[in-house]
Amino acid sequence: MDSLALNYDSTAVLPDSCIYPIYGCMDSTAYNYNPSATIDDSSCVYPPATMVNLFFSEAAEGSSNNKYFEIYNPTNNPVNLDDYAFARVSNAPSTIGVYEYWVDFTSGAVILPNDVYIVAHPSSDATILAEADETYYSMSNGDDGFALVYGSNPGSPVGPTVGGYVIMDWIGDWDGDPGSGWAVAGVSAATKDHTLVRKCSVSQGNASWLSSAGTNTNDSEWEVLPQNDWTDIGQHATP
């Protein structure tokens, strides 16, 4: 006879056994699935998707605000970027080896199979903005280290071991002020006033920037192009 019960009977004249709703997550694939729940309360918490081997395929530090970086999805499946982010430092990091700013991608952003995702300065040239998937003001001036990371924002800047995230790839690093920029393929300060394009032989990110940058054109994972060369933007060649 209780109107709050699931089996309330408006015609009843004597009380019997009321059954009350149990609120909770009713999706068995969620961490907090409640098999006893009778009403879903939208509280389901899901495990993160398996990390996909995304990597930086291009980065440009051009004249004025003509700056962008490009991420490549080498798989045959679309990848949702909600579990990924880019973390950066500005010039010399506050703490060596630790990011200063954690930046999530636009909620619901997706990289299509064998396609690229471009983050560009909002005041970039129209050629860049036509290819951009999202914009971000604080792009690198050549001496700001960026990392592609997998995991959740720790809430405050900490290293990957403490923070529980994975560094997947680098453009620069968080190990100190490189001067005007980092050398790449033997080119001094190549991360400034140049466009970097990942070699087609590279199939995954590199957790070591020194190894990725290399010391010459043979051992580097990058081709160094002149400033404002955006001929390869929006695509990435693979073997």
Side-chain angles (χ1 to χ4, degrees), residues 123-146:
S123 299
S124 291
D125 185 90
T127 302
I128 297 173
L129 293 178
E131 298 288 346
D133 296 285
E134 70 174 88
T135 57
Y136 178 67
Y137 275 98
S138 299
M139 302 298 288
S140 176
N141 290 320
D143 56 357
D144 309 303
F146 278 67

Side-chain angles (χ1 to χ4, degrees), residues 8-94:
Y8 168 63
D9 184 353
S10 61
T11 63
V13 294
L14 292 174
D16 193 357
S17 54
C18 291
I19 299 173
Y20 294 94
I22 300 173
Y23 293 89
C25 173
M26 298 180 68
D27 187 342
S28 61
T29 65
Y31 275 144
N32 58 335
Y33 168 60
N34 182 356
S36 301
T38 57
I39 296 180
D40 194 286
D41 62 357
S42 300
S43 66
C44 292
V45 177
Y46 296 93
T50 301
M51 185 176 76
V52 176
N53 190 28
L54 308 176
F55 59 90
F56 289 119
S57 52
E58 190 164 333
E61 203 286 310
S63 60
S64 186
N65 290 315
N66 296 316
K67 310 171 193 292
Y68 65 88
F69 63 77
E70 179 183 274
I71 299 168
Y72 180 63
N73 171 13
T75 75
N76 294 321
N77 298 300
V79 176
N80 187 297
L81 292 175
D82 287 348
D83 295 317
Y84 302 82
F86 52 98
R88 69 177 185 88
V89 297
S90 180
N91 306 122
S94 302

Side-chain angles (χ1 to χ4, degrees), residues 47-211:
T50 301
M51 185 176 76
V52 176
N53 190 28
L54 308 176
F55 59 90
F56 289 119
S57 52
E58 190 164 333
E61 203 286 310
S63 60
S64 186
N65 290 315
N66 296 316
K67 310 171 193 292
Y68 65 88
F69 63 77
E70 179 183 274
I71 299 168
Y72 180 63
N73 171 13
T75 75
N76 294 321
N77 298 300
V79 176
N80 187 297
L81 292 175
D82 287 348
D83 295 317
Y84 302 82
F86 52 98
R88 69 177 185 88
V89 297
S90 180
N91 306 122
S94 302
T95 303
I96 296 297
V98 175
Y99 69 88
E100 294 176 308
Y101 307 96
W102 181 284
V103 188
D104 291 315
F105 291 98
T106 301
S107 179
V110 171
I111 308 184
L112 297 178
N114 305 118
D115 202 358
V116 296
Y117 189 93
I118 296 171
V119 179
H121 192 286
S123 299
S124 291
D125 185 90
T127 302
I128 297 173
L129 293 178
E131 298 288 346
D133 296 285
E134 70 174 88
T135 57
Y136 178 67
Y137 275 98
S138 299
M139 302 298 288
S140 176
N141 290 320
D143 56 357
D144 309 303
F146 278 67
L148 177 62
V149 297
Y150 170 79
S152 300
N153 188 343
S156 59
V158 291
T161 301
V162 176
Y165 60 90
V166 177
I167 295 175
M168 303 176 66
D169 205 8
W170 291 102
I171 302 171
D173 58 36
W174 305 333
D175 294 337
D177 191 339
S180 58
W182 284 272
V184 179
V187 179
S188 177
T191 53
K192 180 176 177 61
D193 298 335
H194 294 89
T195 296
L196 306 180
V197 176
R198 211 68 175 264
K199 291 179 178 178
C200 68
S201 58
V202 176
S203 59
Q204 61 183 21
N206 193 334
S208 167
W209 168 245
L210 290 177
S211 172

